[in-house]
């Protein structure tokens, strides 16, 4: 199980480097030997990680040439008109079932890793560390399902979250302000998984996303009100009679 955890950490590390742009589309990943030295693992472990990245459509293996980075899922979503509300509803439906399934198979090691993300969120170094802990939390739960399709679905939803500036801004407008609430909700999910209670895990995940989608609505309403005030202020300056009655 320890080897399995290490394997997924390598997958997530390479994927994070791809998402950050350290490895651009079309570029070649470092050779297998170099990656094995970098992560201090065996070359077979690196091969397993590459296979997983290939399944996730992050890389393409060209025999005799190397491993090349593909156009990311994020880039493929950019032309699709999907709102933060649609994304959050989809995440609630998918990740609710992911949590329920994970409750039946999650290991003590995975629970330990989940707890570490809670500690990271409780004592964040910066905003980026909060987002990293959040993503790790959801990815660990997806991995605990032992279902490749579930893992891929969660991964694609996270990629979609970073697909457009609108979705990115909408999520930042609420996630950066509600870390304590997110921590409380993640803790409830963690406790349900620790109890191996699928019903509680599903409900806790749904409650987490329900609060998020309501926060998104509040943020949109606030921006709309600010825009109305701005326009009224412009009109007031244009039509005001203050200069005539002084």
């Amino acid at each position: 199980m320890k080897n399995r955890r290490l394997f997924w950490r390598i997958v997530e590390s390479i994927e994070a480097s791809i998402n950050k742009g350290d490895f651009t589309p079309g570029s070649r990943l470092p050779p297998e030997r170099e990656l094995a030295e970098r992560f201090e693992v065996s070359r077979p472990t690196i091969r397993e990680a590459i296979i997983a990245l290939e399944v996730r459509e992050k890389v393409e293996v060209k025999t005799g040439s190397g491993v090349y980075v593909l156009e990311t899922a994020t880039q493929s979503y950019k032309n699709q008109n999907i709102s933060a509300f649609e994304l959050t509803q989809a995440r609630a439906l998918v990740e609710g079932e992911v949590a329920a399934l994970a409750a039946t198979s999650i290991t003590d090691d995975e629970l330990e890793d989940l707890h570490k993300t809670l500690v990271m969120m409780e004592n964040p170094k910066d905003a980026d560390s909060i987002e990293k802990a959040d993503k790790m939390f959801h990815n660990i739960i997806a991995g605990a399902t032992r279902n490749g399709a579930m893992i891929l679905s969660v991964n694609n939803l996270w990629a979609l979250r970073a697909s457009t500036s609108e979705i990115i801004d909408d999520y930042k407008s609420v996630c950066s302000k509600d870390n304590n609430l997110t921590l409380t909700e993640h803790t409830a999910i963690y406790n349900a998984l620790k109890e191996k209670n699928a019903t509680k895990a599903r409900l806790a995940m749904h409650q987490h996303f329900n609060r998020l989608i309501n926060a998104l609505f509040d943020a949109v309403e606030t921006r709309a009100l600010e825009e109305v005030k701005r326009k009224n202020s412009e009109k007031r300056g244009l039509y005001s009679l203050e200069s005539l009655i002084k």
Side-chain angles (χ1 to χ4, degrees):
M1 186 55 62
K2 185 176 181 180
N3 289 336
R4 183 183 180 280
R5 290 168 55 205
L6 179 60
F7 155 72
W8 278 114
R9 286 176 182 170
I10 293 170
V11 172
E12 290 169 359
S13 178
I14 294 176
E15 189 174 83
S17 294
I18 292 173
N19 291 338
K20 285 192 300 182
D22 295 339
F23 301 121
T24 57
S27 66
R28 187 170 63 180
L29 290 184
E32 186 180 284
R33 175 183 54 78
E34 184 178 327
L35 289 173
E37 292 175 356
R38 177 184 301 183
F39 292 104
E40 298 182 339
V41 297
S42 65
R43 293 175 71 166
T45 300
I46 293 297
R47 291 189 199 110
E48 290 182 26
I50 295 300
I51 290 171
L53 288 166
E54 193 172 20
V55 170
R56 293 186 175 197
E57 298 184 342
K58 291 290 184 179
V59 302
E60 178 185 9
V61 178
K62 297 183 179 180
T63 305
S65 179
V67 182
Y68 291 84
V69 178
L70 294 172
E71 290 290 315
T72 66
T74 295
Q75 291 169 322
S76 67
Y77 292 134
K78 283 185 177 178
N79 295 326
Q80 298 187 32
N81 187 23
I82 297 174
S83 71
F85 300 105
E86 292 172 305
L87 170 61
T88 306
Q89 184 182 54
R91 289 185 65 194
L93 293 170
V94 172
E95 295 201 46
E97 296 311 309
V98 165
L101 182 58
T104 66
S105 57
I106 195 165
T107 67
D108 289 341
D109 286 337
E110 287 164 332
L111 284 168
E112 181 182 344
D113 288 341
L114 272 185
H115 188 264
K116 288 177 181 177
T117 69
L118 300 180
V119 174
M120 288 173 63
M121 294 195 76
E122 188 173 12
N123 304 288
K125 296 179 180 178
D126 48 42
D128 288 340
S129 65
I130 293 174
E131 185 173 344
K132 180 180 179 182
D134 186 20
K135 185 173 183 180
M136 287 174 61
F137 180 86
H138 289 275
N139 280 344
I140 291 167
I141 296 173
T145 65
R146 313 287 182 263
N147 185 309
M150 288 286 202
I151 294 168
L152 184 61
S153 296
V154 171
N155 183 64
N156 284 341
L157 287 170
W158 272 95
L160 183 55
R161 174 176 167 169
S163 63
T164 66
S165 59
E166 289 81 6
I167 292 178
I168 293 170
D169 290 344
D170 283 339
Y171 265 80
K172 280 186 177 180
S173 70
V174 295
C175 294
S176 61
K177 299 176 182 178
D178 296 330
N179 184 51
N180 289 335
L181 290 174
T182 300
L183 177 59
T184 298
E185 292 157 1
H186 277 202
T187 301
I189 296 167
Y190 165 79
N191 287 336
L193 292 169
K194 190 174 181 180
E195 293 175 19
K196 311 291 186 179
N197 190 315
T199 301
K200 281 188 178 180
R202 180 189 293 110
L203 178 60
M205 188 67 78
H206 284 169
Q207 289 174 332
H208 172 48
F209 283 112
N210 184 59
R211 195 269 305 171
L212 176 57
I213 202 164
N214 283 323
L216 284 169
F217 274 114
D218 290 341
V220 168
E221 288 174 0
T222 298
R223 286 201 301 270
L225 286 172
E226 289 174 351
E227 180 63 14
V228 169
K229 289 180 179 179
R230 184 189 66 78
K231 290 182 177 180
N232 281 343
S233 179
E234 290 178 354
K235 289 181 179 180
R236 183 176 288 110
L238 181 61
Y239 299 113
S240 174
L241 301 178
E242 291 294 330
S243 62
L244 299 178
I245 60 178
K246 283 183 179 179

